[in-house]
Amino acid sequence: MTPAEDNHDWSLESLNKAYQQGYMAGLTGQPQHAQPHPVEVLAAAWEAGWDDGNEQYALHQRRSA
């Protein structure tokens, strides 16, 4: 996909939303394979959010143990 084609599939707002959705999924312990986005850029934003949220989830689990 060329950058021009890719621009039609996402916006800064949709990137932020995908990141926040991924963060919440990671924070609540949902699996990473639950990533719902077919567009690669949005999938990457969701996964980045999931990584950050899952890190917080893991820290909380260790503190609670």
Side-chain angles (χ1 to χ4, degrees), residues 18-31:
Y19 175 89
Q20 290 299 326
Q21 289 172 337
Y23 184 85
M24 291 307 296
L27 192 61
T28 57
Q30 295 179 32

Side-chain angles (χ1 to χ4, degrees), residues 19-20 22-28 32 44-59:
Y19 175 89
Q20 290 299 326
Y23 184 85
M24 291 307 296
L27 192 61
T28 57
Q32 189 174 20
W46 189 96
E47 289 169 0
W50 186 91
D51 286 340
D52 291 344
N54 190 255
E55 184 177 320
Q56 290 301 312
Y57 175 77
L59 284 172

Side-chain angles (χ1 to χ4, degrees), residues 3-62:
E5 291 170 342
D6 201 28
N7 284 337
H8 296 290
D9 295 331
W10 60 274
S11 65
L12 185 56
E13 182 179 335
S14 64
L15 285 175
N16 285 329
K17 184 176 180 181
Y19 175 89
Q20 290 299 326
Q21 289 172 337
Y23 184 85
M24 291 307 296
L27 192 61
T28 57
Q30 295 179 32
Q32 189 174 20
H33 65 77
Q35 190 285 113
H37 298 284
V39 178
E40 189 174 333
V41 174
L42 295 177
W46 189 96
E47 289 169 0
W50 186 91
D51 286 340
D52 291 344
N54 190 255
E55 184 177 320
Q56 290 301 312
Y57 175 77
L59 284 172
H60 179 71
Q61 293 300 312
R62 282 188 292 244

